[in-house]
Amino acid sequence: MPSPQPPRNSTLLHATTVASGGQAVLIRGASGSGKSSLALQLLAYGADLVADDRTQIWVQDGGVMATVPNSILGQIEARGVGILRASAAGPQPVSLVVDCDAIETERLPPLRTTRLLDVTLPVVGKLAYPHFPAAILLYLRHGRLA
């Protein structure tokens, strides 16, 4: 089934988006930086795929919404394995950005933000620790303390 199409003023980003608990994380970074790898780990923990590699975003009700172009609906690349099928979440509100080009070095980093389409969103850098995907899911489901 095709995904509902975003408004004409949407923007296409080189990003992967995954959702859990009605909130989405937009994972951005250079090619080969681990976007799909993180998304696969999140999917294995029970999240749903919004879009892999190309995400359409737009502003709605003061927040950023994300969806997938129909041509790649329900598909995710697993490097070294191939293109896999995944259940598609449909359009979701973005509540967090993971920047795979920024490596987090602080144990308890300050709250950082980024702007997408003039909307301020929290952003975290990539971590090379096994708990990172689980921490992202908890962030989506329950938020972060200041």
Side-chain angles (χ1 to χ4, degrees):
M1 179 167 85
S3 176
Q5 288 305 294
R8 291 180 192 251
N9 62 347
S10 67
T11 300
L12 187 63
L13 296 180
H14 179 216
T16 294
T17 305
V18 172
S20 182
Q23 299 296 315
V25 55
L26 186 136
I27 308 165
R28 67 182 182 192
S31 189
S33 65
K35 296 180 300 295
S36 295
S37 177
L38 175 57
L40 286 164
Q41 291 173 312
L42 293 168
L43 294 176
Y45 285 143
D48 295 309
L49 181 66
V50 176
D52 182 42
D53 200 47
R54 290 182 287 156
T55 299
Q56 284 185 278
I57 62 169
W58 68 97
V59 175
Q60 180 176 307
D61 300 325
V64 175
M65 294 293 293
T67 195
V68 62
N70 278 327
S71 61
I72 58 171
L73 177 69
Q75 300 174 33
I76 185 166
E77 178 186 346
R79 199 172 288 249
V81 177
I83 305 297
L84 304 176
R85 295 182 192 276
S87 61
Q92 297 288 315
V94 176
S95 62
L96 177 64
V97 175
V98 170
D99 186 345
C100 288
D101 292 336
I103 305 301
E104 184 56 66
T105 58
E106 294 189 46
R107 180 176 178 177
L108 295 173
L111 179 63
R112 295 185 176 107
T113 60
T114 189
R115 295 191 56 80
L116 289 178
L117 303 177
D118 288 329
V119 175
T120 301
L121 293 166
V123 62
V124 296
K126 184 177 172 182
L127 285 177
Y129 293 101
H131 73 276
F132 188 52
I136 296 302
L137 277 181
L138 284 176
Y139 196 119
L140 288 178
R141 293 176 184 165
H142 305 291
R144 174 194 149 147
L145 295 174

